[in-house]
Amino acid sequence: MIYTKEVENMCPVAKGAKHDCAPIPQEGKWTNVHEISDVSGFTHGIGWCAPQQGACKLSLNIKNGIIEEALVETIGCSGMTHSAAMAAEILQGKTILEALNTDLVCDAINTAMRELFLQIVYGRSQSAFSDDGLPVGAGLEDLGKGLRSQVGTMYATKEKGVRYLEMAEGYVTGIALDKDNEVIGYQFISLGKMMDFIKKGDDPATAMEKAKGQYGRVDDAVKIIDPRQE
């Protein structure tokens, strides 16, 4: 350690009370974090790229500072999906400090990692008050059956109104309208379920029929329109 002459000439002053770092809630305990290995938790972070044309939702399950599980979901940019594939290979097995200082290929994923790092080290994790945290594999529960990201895609113009294109339930095939042309429900196909049926041996037409569903007052509709064609 090198000290300047000014510091060397100073007289020593004893340190009084020990001011420890503030404890943070982690997996059902209150923890004083001194090292990266003291950090555990499961949480999500949202990031965006510089031109703000795409976004990333990053979910990490961290045990003793190590990323044991990573879920990378992206939207809005075709190149970002390939970046997500690379990031998923990079993240697991790294400490959260290593991951913060690693190029995760895409601006949005890097920003999500930064936001998530702040949540974790400040004790704002989703599992802060869960005894022993969440098991590795909990990230898949975010995806639900069929292991597909939940996506909402809506389009609207002042001239022609709204079009529902994708809901949490799946791909929207029809929008139900009442006599005033107001939306009262929608029909959809759960693509995850449809693919599961096909993998089990159903032909595509049968699988699609079995995966259909509807929400709202579809049966009362005066008219049902295809949101992509009408």
Side-chain angles (χ1 to χ4, degrees):
M1 187 74 68
I2 299 174
Y3 295 97
T4 65
K5 195 66 177 176
E6 291 81 3
V7 172
E8 286 183 348
N9 290 336
M10 290 178 181
C11 64
V13 175
K15 185 177 180 179
K18 176 177 169 56
H19 298 284
D20 204 356
C21 56
I24 63 173
Q26 287 195 139
E27 301 194 337
K29 303 176 182 66
W30 288 92
T31 312
N32 290 100
V33 173
H34 297 281
E35 306 288 343
I36 286 295
S37 58
D38 296 331
V39 177
S40 294
F42 177 92
T43 198
H44 316 283
I46 302 296
W48 54 94
C49 60
Q52 299 190 21
Q53 67 182 25
C56 167
K57 176 189 173 188
L58 178 62
S59 303
L60 298 182
N61 200 348
I62 297 153
K63 304 291 185 185
N64 302 316
I66 304 292
I67 297 170
E68 296 288 348
E69 177 185 15
L71 172 63
V72 189
E73 300 174 85
T74 61
I75 189 169
C77 170
S78 57
M80 199 179 285
T81 60
H82 295 79
S83 299
M86 296 178 70
E89 290 193 24
I90 291 168
L91 283 164
Q92 24 91 10
K94 276 186 162 38
T95 70
I96 55 172
L97 185 59
E98 288 174 322
L100 183 67
N101 288 290
T102 299
D103 181 9
L104 299 176
V105 189
C106 163
D107 276 354
I109 303 173
N110 284 316
T111 303
M113 184 64 223
R114 180 194 70 198
E115 297 300 308
L116 194 148
F117 180 90
L118 292 174
Q119 291 179 46
I120 285 286
V121 298
Y122 285 130
R124 304 297 195 273
S125 66
Q126 302 293 313
S127 59
F129 299 103
S130 302
D131 283 340
D132 298 321
L134 300 179
V136 175
L140 291 179
E141 294 178 9
D142 270 11
L143 301 178
K145 293 181 180 179
L147 301 184
R148 287 176 54 84
S149 296
Q150 294 187 58
V151 177
T153 308
M154 312 297 154
Y155 178 73
T157 61
K158 179 184 174 185
E159 182 68 22
K160 299 296 183 179
V162 71
R163 298 293 186 276
Y164 299 172
L165 301 174
E166 190 96 19
M167 286 284 195
E169 297 95 335
Y171 179 94
V172 177
T173 57
I175 301 177
L177 306 179
D178 65 9
K179 60 182 177 59
D180 298 317
N181 281 336
E182 293 183 352
V183 178
I184 57 173
Y186 54 88
Q187 298 171 324
F188 62 87
I189 296 174
S190 174
L191 297 181
K193 289 181 180 179
M194 186 179 79
M195 292 306 300
D196 285 342
F197 290 138
I198 291 173
K199 285 188 287 185
K200 290 177 180 177
D202 287 346
D203 64 86
T206 300
M208 186 170 74
E209 195 62 34
K210 289 168 69 174
K212 285 182 178 180
Q214 64 184 44
Y215 181 84
R217 295 187 291 116
V218 175
D219 295 337
D220 298 332
V222 171
K223 178 168 56 174
I224 296 177
I225 64 170
D226 182 334
R228 291 169 175 81
Q229 302 294 328
E230 298 175 76

